[in-house]
Amino acid sequence: MTAKSKGQTLLENAYKLATPQDNKVYYDEFAETYDDEFARALGWEYPNAIATLYRENADTDHVPIADIGCGTGLVAEALAVSPEQIDGIDISEEMLAISRSKALYRKTIQADLMADLGPIKNAYGAVVSAGTFTSGHLGPAPLESLLDIARPDALFIIGVNKTFYLEADFDPVIRDLEARGAITDLTLVEVPMYNKAGHDHSSDQAYALCYRKRQFG
């Protein structure tokens, strides 16, 4: 039996997390090795896919950007925008420390998406996320509250693990937001999460939820 790599073990353990505190402690512990042992080792393509969709859909008004669950800043690296145009938000202070060392963000903010989002309300022109909505405690509930941190017509590119999207009933929530007129121009784009074969999650896919916040009222 082939031994699992550190990256695959980290990933499988991450899928078992159940509470905000579990996530904070877990990601704090392996923040320093996340880029090498997980992202590079497993071919973490997800940040690039989200960044590509942002570039395909954004115009000059869609800044500043809120990078939700930014971790070590891999989405910001893929976006390659000026640090003055993007803020990093994550529950793990140790992950934020790594992203700060890369000078990727205007500022970083430690926040739990299941708690008060008042500290990150900032009239953002875009909200992006890769990897935050994957498993565990964070279901579709924050999708509506995240609208409050952005200005009208803001662009949202929110990645959700495809299996988790189905298991946690994201579709009724996002369709309800659309039906109520809270969001417009909704599309779901299937994107790869990894670009390396040979591990148990190589074929995992995500839905990128692409939409805009309602323009008025």
Side-chain angles (χ1 to χ4, degrees), residues 36-54:
D36 289 330
E37 293 184 354
F38 169 71
R40 293 189 185 94
L42 299 188
W44 185 231
E45 180 64 17
Y46 203 2
N48 293 322
I50 296 300
T52 295
L53 285 169
Y54 172 84

Side-chain angles (χ1 to χ4, degrees), residues 132-201:
T132 300
F133 295 93
T134 298
S135 64
H137 75 288
L138 201 61
L143 293 179
E144 183 161 8
S145 57
L146 281 172
L147 293 173
D148 292 337
I149 76 170
R151 63 174 179 262
D153 202 42
L155 174 66
F156 283 70
I157 309 290
I158 305 294
V160 183
N161 176 284
K162 184 177 178 180
T163 299
F164 188 53
Y165 183 91
L166 300 172
E167 289 176 349
D169 289 330
F170 274 77
D171 201 67
V173 174
I174 197 72
R175 299 299 177 181
D176 179 64
L177 291 175
E178 182 183 36
R180 289 192 281 117
I183 63 173
T184 62
D185 303 328
L186 173 65
T187 59
L188 272 67
V189 181
E190 194 166 329
V191 298
M193 297 179 71
Y194 301 91
N195 61 22
K196 285 187 179 181
H199 61 84
D200 290 351
H201 293 273

Side-chain angles (χ1 to χ4, degrees), residues 47 55 60 63 76 83 111 119-121 124 157 160 204 206 213 217:
R55 287 191 291 268
T60 55
V63 290
I120 58 175
K121 288 184 180 180
Y124 286 108
I157 309 290
V160 183
D204 285 6
K213 181 178 176 178

